[in-house]
Every structure is written in structure tokens, then in C-alpha cells.
């Protein structure tokens, strides 16, 4: 028997409270140890700041769907993080496994539209089983609608995806388009096709963790940017990340009180005297940025290059640096693509770029050539050349060949270029250059090794220094390592109001 409709205002208010209470009842059991969708949002945003939208939205009536819980498996709304506005959606794995149906998708798309209209970041908490099979093509249509919103929002508002459980099939493409993806070690999985289907179709066997687990996505394929220890840690990463980012592409990144300036005196002895000896580039970076703090992006993927967010005098900067501890800081396919996407993100949101170069060049070899090092390595050249934000570069040690050109050189539009006295800017290293230039002399010499040593020393005195580049204006100043932070601060202050209009066009055609 249907309950009679309420008549008075008091009855209607009571009825509303009853309906809200029913709508907030969990839709089913959760996996052990995980938070519910609303609990996750509450742990992300400032206490009491969240306003939910679409609470009473329900799935369309179909013969295959007996239950039509309110919310349809996704919680959407807006709140604040550290007092700054943010839109959030959280998939509820307790309702239809978190799968996307038509109403689910419409709620999420409506939230994206709200974020675009109001110019605030979007955080998506993903924990779902893909498209809702019962609703057929409608669920697929909404996935496409969501991806279209992701593309429209790209470069306009920051988009952060947090994968807290499964994210499979078409659902995986939305996080792939967003700016950053956070995954939880041992709990998150992201792949287009699951292990069972792969084994059936190809005969290959792999666990979900091997195929697209958090560690695989952070170390092997680069699909994720941050590896969190647990859900709380993942949400902490999101809060840290948001603190560096502007609300949208028309606003400046947030500014804070300048952090402590690390002692820079030790920089004079960081670079080893022997060229082939490795050192940790992070020692240099921590001696330059506020409080020595770096938020590494894709730290475990392509470790031969460092991409990180940091602050200098309270202002956000994007740091790109070769890491001599891994493959001598060489640029390979993975490093090029990692850095190119980071550079383009910083440029889209007005975050100045700070580059530290110690690079032997692009990696040679059959695997790299067949893998497309020309096309894929060109992405980093394109990204730096396209970027219009303030760009400051420091050449620390070697900068050889194409590596010199791509790592924030003047020729790609860098504004201020500095070099340490230890910098070697040349087409190639001394040993290789002598072998090419003096091959016949060495072959005819009575003592080729002694001649080689003299020629290498002569090459080092002329080409193995930063001064030829400085003579031509390719380097603005050769500086003492201990003075690096001071020079960077002055350069960034001078470039704070930089204007660099580009020719009018639809868009460029980056080599994808």
C-alpha cells in the first residue's frame, strides 16, 4: 500500500528528512578495510564543507535492474580543500559494483560541467567495474560524454584521478586523460582488459597486480603518477598536489609565505671531479627550493629524469632535471614522454619551469630506434618550444648533443640560462670527439694513447667548458654553485610578469 502524500509544510519537511535518511543508507557491503564513497570525500575535503548534488537521482527503470538506489552508485558534489573550492565525485562500489549507468554518468558529467563553469579543480575517486552491462549502450554513451568533458577541461581546470579499487575497460580512459593519477599499493588496478579475458583470448597468464596494479602502473607503463601506501595517504597526496596548483588556467598558482632557504654552500662540492662519476641531482634541487621540499611526479617511472613540483620564495615551480644516478641522466623514450607531459601541464597552468641539465644526450640503440625515439623524443623538444611560462635553466655538468638543445636551451625559448663552472657544453664528450676528429692521427701515431690524452685535454680546455656558450650569449651567466638559489630567485622575480603571445591557430600537432 502506497503511503499517503504529505500535505502540510511540516509533513513535507519531515518527509524530506526521511527520504534523505533513506538515500544515505549504504547500498551494500564494502570490501574489507576500505572507506565508503562519502567517507572518502569527507576525508578529502575540509570538515563540513561538502555539498552533495544529485542525491535523489536514480537509475532508469529497466527490466534488468530490480534495485534503483538513490545516487545510482556515485556521490557528486563540491566543497573546499584548505579553503579552496573543488568539485569531487566518488564511485560507490557497494552499488552495482560501482559500474556506470546512464544516471550515474549524467551526474558525473553534470559535475564536470559545473567545475568548468566555476573554474575549480575536479577530483575523481574511482572504484568501479566499468560500464553497467544491464543498461547497454546508454552506459557506453555516458563514458564517451565523460571523456569529452575531460578533454574540454584539459588545460582549463586541474583534473586529478584517484584509483582506489578496480578501474577497468572504458573506465580506465578517463583517468588517462586527466592530469594526475594516484593509485594505492596492493589495492588499485587499472587495465583495459582483465586477466581472465586476456588468458581466454591470447593464452597469456597474468595477475591483476602484474597487469595493471599500482606498482606496475607507477614503474612499468607510467599510467600513474603517485603510489600511495593506503587510502589516507592517497588523499594526502591529492591535498599536497592541489596546494601547488591554481584553480584554473586564468588564475595564478597560490602563493605562500617564503619557505626557509636551504644552505647552499655544499653545492660547490656536489659534482664529482671525475666526469663519469654519478651523484644525486636531488641534493642540488633540495638546496634550491623552499624548505628543500619536492613533490615528485612519476618518481618510480623513468627515474633517469626528475619531474617535481616545488616552491621558490613561496611560489610554485615545475622542476625538470636529469638524474645522473640512473643511466647517467640520459634521455630515452620514457624519460622524454614523462618530461614532455609535465612541461605541457606546467605551461597550461602558468607554473614557471626550472630545468637542471646534466645530460649525455638521447639514448642510442636498436630498441630505442625501433621504439620510435625520434618521434617520441621530439615530444620533449615540442613541449619546451611551445611553453610560454617563465623558463630558467641551469647547466650543472654535461650538456651534449641533442640533450643540450632539448633541456631548456635558449634556442627553444628559455628566458634565463645559467651554467656552473663544471658545465661541459659540446656536441659530444671529449673522448668521442677526439676519436672522430683525429682518427687518422691516432692511427698513425707511435704512441696513440699519449696523443689521445693530450688531445682530450686540449678539447676539454676549449669545448669542455661553459665559456664558449657564454661568449655567444647562449648562457647568460656562469655562476658559483653556492649562488644558484639567489640567481634563480632573481630570474623568477624578473620574469613574474612575462608575456609571450603565440600565433593564432587551432592547435599545434605534437608528434604523438
Amino acid at each position: 500500500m502506497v503511503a499517503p502524500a504529505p500535505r502540510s509544510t511540516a509533513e513535507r519537511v519531515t518527509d524530506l528528512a526521511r527520504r534523505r535518511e533513506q538515500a544515505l543508507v549504504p547500498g551494500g557491503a564494502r570490501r574489507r578495510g576500505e572507506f565508503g564513497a562519502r567517507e572518502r570525500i569527507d576525508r578529502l575535503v575540509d570538515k563540513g564543507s561538502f555539498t552533495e548534488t544529485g542525491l535523489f537521482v536514480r537509475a532508469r527503470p529497466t527490466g534488468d535492474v530490480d534495485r534503483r538506489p538513490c545516487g545510482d552508485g556515485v556521490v557528486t558534489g563540491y566543497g573546499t580543500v584548505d579553503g579552496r573550492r573543488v568539485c569531487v565525485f566518488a564511485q560507490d562500489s557497494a552499488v552495482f559494483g560501482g559500474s556506470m549507468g546512464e544516471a550515474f554518468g549524467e551526474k558525473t558529467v553534470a559535475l564536470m560541467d559545473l567545475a568548468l563553469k566555476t573554474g575549480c579543480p575536479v577530483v575523481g575517486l574511482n572504484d568501479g567495474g566499468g560500464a553497467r552491462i544491464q543498461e547497454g549502450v546508454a552506459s557506453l554513451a555516458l563514458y564517451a560524454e565523460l571523456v569529452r568533458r575531460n578533454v574540454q577541461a584539459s588545460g582549463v581546470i586541474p583534473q586529478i584521478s584517484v584509483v582506489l579499487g578496480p578501474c577497468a575497460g572504458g573506465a580506465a580512459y578517463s583517468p588517462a586523460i586527466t592530469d594526475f593519477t594516484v593509485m594505492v599499493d596492493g589495492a588499485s588496478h587499472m587495465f583495459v582488459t582483465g586477466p581472465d579475458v586476456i588468458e581466454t583470448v591470447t593464452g597469456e597468464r597474468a595477475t591483476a597486480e602484474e597487469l595493471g596494479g599500482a606498482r606496475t602502473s607507477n614503474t612499468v607503463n607510467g599510467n600513474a603518477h603517485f603510489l600511495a601506501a593506503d587510502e589516507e595517504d592517497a588523499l594526502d597526496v591529492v591535498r599536497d598536489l592541489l596546494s601547488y596548483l591554481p584553480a584554473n588556467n586564468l588564475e595564478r598558482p597560490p602563493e605562500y609565505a617564503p619557505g626557509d632557504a636551504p644552505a647552499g654552500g655544499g653545492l660547490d662540492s656536489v659534482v664529482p671531479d671525475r666526469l663519469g662519476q654519478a651523484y644525486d641531482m636531488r641534493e642540488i634541487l633540495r638546496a634550491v627550493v623552499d624548505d628543500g621540499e619536492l613533490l615528485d611526479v612519476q618518481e618510480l617511472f623513468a627515474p633517469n629524469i626528475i619531474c617535481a613540483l616545488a616552491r621558490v620564495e613561496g611560489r610554485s615551480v615545475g622542476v625538470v632535471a636529469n638524474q645522473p644516478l640512473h643511466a647517467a641522466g640520459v634521455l630515452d623514450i620514457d624519460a622524454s614522454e614523462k618530461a614532455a607531459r609535465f612541461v605541457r601541464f606546467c605551461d597550461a597552468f602558468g607554473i614557471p619551469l626550472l630545468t637542471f641539465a646534466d645530460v649525455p644526450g638521447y639514448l642510442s640503440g636498436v630498441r630505442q630506434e625501433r621504439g620510435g625515439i625520434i618521434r617520441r623524443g621530439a615530444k620533449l623538444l615540442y613541449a619546451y618550444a611551445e611553453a610560454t611560462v617563465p623558463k630558467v635553466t641551469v647547466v650543472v655538468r654535461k650538456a651534449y648533443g641533442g640533450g643540450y638543445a632539448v633541456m631548456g636551451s635558449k634556442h627553444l625559448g628559455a628566458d634565463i640560462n645559467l651554467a656552473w663552472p663544471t658545465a661541459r657544453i659540446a656536441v659530444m664528450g671529449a673522448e668521442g670527439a677526439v676519436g672522430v676528429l683525429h682518427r687518422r692521427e691516432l692511427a698513425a701515431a707511435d704512441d696513440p694513447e699519449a696523443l689521445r690524452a693530450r688531445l682530450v685535454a686540449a678539447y676539454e680546455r676549449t669545448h669542455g667548458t661553459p665559456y664558449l656558450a657564454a661568449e655567444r650569449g647562449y648562457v647568460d651567466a656562469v655562476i658559483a654553485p653556492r649562488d644558484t638559489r639567489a640567481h634563480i630567485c632573481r630570474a623568477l622575480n624578473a620574469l613574474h610578469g612575462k608575456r609571450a603571445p603565440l600565433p593564432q591557430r587551432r592547435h599545434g600537432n605534437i608528434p604523438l
Side-chain angles (χ1 to χ4, degrees):
M1 182 176 179
V2 179
R7 297 179 179 178
S8 69
T9 300
E11 288 177 322
R12 291 176 186 273
V13 171
T14 301
D15 180 60
L16 169 63
R18 178 185 61 81
R19 289 174 180 268
R20 284 185 58 83
E21 185 177 350
Q22 289 178 343
L24 294 172
V25 172
R30 301 196 299 266
R31 290 186 295 271
R32 181 181 297 177
E34 71 171 16
F35 297 117
R38 290 186 178 86
E39 290 175 311
R40 287 166 170 168
I41 292 175
D42 287 342
R43 281 167 165 75
L44 172 65
V45 302
D46 299 335
K47 186 176 181 179
S49 71
F50 184 67
T51 299
E52 186 168 344
T53 60
L55 175 62
F56 296 116
V57 168
R58 300 172 72 190
R60 308 292 183 267
T62 68
D64 294 329
V65 179
D66 297 326
R67 293 189 302 119
R68 297 176 57 222
C70 289
D72 198 36
V74 64
V75 180
T76 58
Y78 52 89
T80 62
V81 174
D82 293 331
R84 302 172 66 219
R85 291 178 301 120
V86 64
C87 285
V88 187
F89 69 83
Q91 297 173 353
D92 189 348
S93 62
V95 178
F96 303 125
S99 61
M100 178 183 281
E102 184 179 6
F104 177 125
E106 288 176 346
K107 280 182 65 176
T108 310
V109 167
L111 184 78
M112 291 290 300
D113 290 340
L114 176 65
L116 274 166
K117 285 188 289 188
T118 58
C120 73
V122 172
V123 179
L125 308 181
N126 297 267
D127 184 5
R132 191 173 300 168
I133 298 172
Q134 302 96 312
E135 298 193 29
V137 70
S139 62
L140 299 177
L142 266 299
Y143 265 128
E145 290 282 355
L146 177 57
V147 166
R148 185 158 67 97
R149 296 313 195 282
N150 290 138
V151 173
Q152 290 172 346
S154 183
V156 180
I157 54 175
Q159 302 178 79
I160 302 172
S161 296
V162 188
V163 180
L164 298 168
C167 185
Y173 287 108
S174 177
I177 295 172
T178 61
D179 299 307
F180 300 102
T181 299
V182 185
M183 297 183 73
V184 177
D185 196 12
S188 306
H189 302 98
M190 187 165 58
F191 37 67
V192 173
T193 309
D196 294 340
V197 175
I198 287 179
E199 184 175 357
T200 300
V201 174
T202 70
E204 298 174 288
R205 292 185 177 182
T207 65
E209 186 64 30
E210 292 169 339
L211 194 61
R215 286 199 171 269
T216 298
S217 298
N218 272 273
T219 60
V220 179
N221 58 40
N223 288 337
H225 302 82
F226 300 96
L227 179 67
D230 52 33
E231 291 194 10
E232 291 276 17
D233 186 35
L235 300 179
D236 284 342
V237 169
V238 174
R239 284 189 288 268
D240 286 346
L241 185 53
L242 287 169
S243 73
Y244 291 94
L245 310 182
N248 55 67
N249 64 329
L250 299 180
E251 295 186 11
R252 290 186 183 274
E255 295 186 13
Y256 300 87
D260 292 336
L267 290 182
D268 287 353
S269 58
V270 167
V271 175
D273 292 331
R274 187 162 60 85
L275 184 59
Q277 189 174 344
Y279 64 94
D280 190 351
M281 179 63 80
R282 283 189 176 84
E283 287 187 43
I284 296 173
L285 303 183
R286 293 190 182 109
V288 169
V289 302
D290 289 4
D291 302 316
E293 292 183 355
L294 297 165
L295 181 60
D296 272 287
V297 176
Q298 291 185 299
E299 181 179 5
L300 303 177
F301 179 70
N304 39 317
I305 199 159
I306 297 168
C307 296
L309 291 164
R311 294 187 183 90
V312 175
E313 293 193 317
R315 296 173 183 164
S316 296
V317 294
V319 179
V320 180
N322 305 107
Q323 174 56 292
L325 283 182
H326 296 278
V330 72
L331 289 171
D332 57 10
I333 288 171
D334 287 344
S336 298
E337 292 187 333
K338 168 183 171 179
R341 194 162 194 269
F342 182 73
V343 167
R344 298 192 88 209
F345 171 82
C346 291
D347 186 51
F349 290 101
I351 300 173
L353 287 164
L354 186 54
T355 303
F356 286 78
D358 185 349
V359 57
Y362 278 98
L363 182 61
S364 59
V366 174
R367 286 186 63 182
Q368 289 287 307
E369 294 291 351
R370 289 184 174 179
I373 185 66
I374 294 174
R375 168 178 55 86
R376 297 162 77 178
K379 295 178 185 181
L380 187 52
L381 285 156
Y382 191 104
Y384 266 113
E386 179 187 46
T388 60
V389 292
K391 292 180 281 189
V392 179
T393 298
V394 181
V395 181
V396 174
R397 190 167 62 171
K398 56 191 180 297
Y400 293 152
Y404 157 71
V406 67
M407 288 299 295
S409 68
K410 277 279 188 185
H411 325 290
L412 291 184
D415 300 294
I416 303 293
N417 287 61
L418 310 168
W420 286 9
T422 50
R424 293 170 166 89
I425 302 172
V427 174
M428 61 176 65
E431 290 284 350
V434 167
V436 172
L437 296 173
H438 303 283
R439 184 175 61 253
R440 293 180 181 176
E441 295 173 57
L442 291 168
D446 294 332
D447 188 349
E449 290 307 314
L451 177 59
R452 179 185 296 276
R454 290 196 300 273
L455 292 172
V456 165
Y459 188 93
E460 286 283 2
R461 285 194 299 272
T462 54
H463 299 280
T465 73
Y467 299 107
L468 283 179
E471 285 180 16
R472 291 182 170 270
Y474 302 158
V475 169
D476 293 295
V478 180
I479 63 171
R482 69 171 76 94
D483 298 330
T484 303
R485 177 179 165 92
H487 279 273
I488 286 172
C489 291
R490 292 172 195 157
L492 291 174
N493 284 329
L495 295 167
H496 193 53
K498 178 185 174 182
R499 297 186 184 92
L502 292 172
Q504 187 173 358
R505 58 181 175 179
R506 291 179 182 271
H507 55 75
N509 189 20
I510 188 170
L512 296 174

